[in-house]
Amino acid sequence: MPILNILRYPDPRLRRVAEPVTEVDGRVRTLLDSMAETMYRAPGIGLAAIQVDTPLRVIVVDVSDHRNNLLAFINPRIVEYEGMQVMEEGCLSVPGIFEPVERSRRILVRALDRDGQEFEREAEGLLAVCIAHEIDHLDGKVFVDYLSRLKQNRIRKKLEKQDKLAM
Ligand code: NI
């Protein structure tokens, strides 16, 4: 599977709202496989299709210590929220930046799996944070949106400077 190029903040393509998958076919499964490989290689614990310039509602997540518990969600929706937690977050599209964000402590997610079957998954702690973070991407949101304007501007400048140096 090819390693996909990950868009970097503040790329405007990260702001698109992803479209639902209408049919879970071979193309979607190939996308999932390429996304998983790209996430593991990065390395990261979650990736949304929009981050690899594919505006479909598809995410992959693996928060396990041994990197052997891949979860794939197609058209995911959070149907229950409970509690609050603050965790330091990062993002493969915002390399080198880690900031605390407040999110639900427990969520219930409904989605399709890679065979197109609907399933529900309860998540707490880091997994809940990671899934909510990736679903945000599908709505054109990046975790830095939760930070102060001042911090957002600093992060944007820092990444734009890095991108210029890399050219
Ligand atoms: Ni992210």
Side-chain angles (χ1 to χ4, degrees):
M1 286 298 146
I3 299 297
L4 305 169
N5 183 45
I6 299 175
L7 301 178
R8 288 164 62 104
Y9 179 87
D11 192 311
R13 286 173 289 180
L14 289 169
R15 296 304 183 184
R16 288 171 300 177
V17 175
E19 295 288 332
V21 171
T22 50
E23 195 192 341
V24 182
D25 55 13
R27 260 186 354 178
V28 172
R29 281 186 282 275
T30 300
L31 172 65
L32 280 171
D33 292 341
S34 301
M35 284 172 61
E37 191 159 340
T38 303
M39 174 186 76
Y40 285 126
R41 189 72 67 86
I45 59 172
L47 189 69
I50 198 102
Q51 291 177 274
V52 291
D53 202 16
T54 305
L56 285 176
R57 302 190 81 82
V58 173
I59 66 173
V60 291
V61 168
D62 188 346
V63 298
S64 68
D65 289 339
H66 298 289
R67 319 285 288 145
N68 57 1
N69 189 17
L70 180 68
L71 303 175
F73 299 85
I74 298 163
N75 300 343
R77 280 191 304 129
I78 299 177
V79 293
E80 281 178 28
Y81 300 81
E82 196 183 307
M84 260 323 149
Q85 62 181 341
V86 177
M87 257 191 216
E88 195 150 279
E89 293 188 23
C91 179
L92 291 175
S93 293
V94 196
I97 306 291
F98 299 91
E99 293 286 346
V101 174
E102 188 179 290
R103 294 192 193 265
S104 303
R105 188 184 52 76
R106 187 195 76 91
I107 57 175
L108 183 67
V109 187
R110 195 170 292 155
L112 301 179
D113 66 16
R114 59 181 292 132
D115 299 315
Q117 298 297 312
E118 190 177 78
F119 70 102
E120 282 186 351
R121 169 94 196 199
E122 197 181 82
E124 289 187 333
L126 177 61
L127 181 60
V129 165
C130 189
I131 293 170
H133 172 123
E134 300 311 330
I135 291 177
D136 269 357
H137 277 300
L138 303 182
D139 295 318
K141 279 190 248 164
V142 182
F143 84 99
V144 298
D145 300 347
Y146 294 106
L147 308 176
S148 69
R149 279 276 159 224
L150 184 69
K151 269 189 182 168
Q152 289 182 39
N153 287 335
R154 267 194 214 138
I155 290 167
R156 187 176 306 116
K157 280 194 190 117
K158 189 173 167 187
L159 291 180
E160 281 171 349
K161 200 162 140 195
Q162 282 174 4
D163 284 347
K164 262 184 213 127
L165 289 173
M167 267 178 212

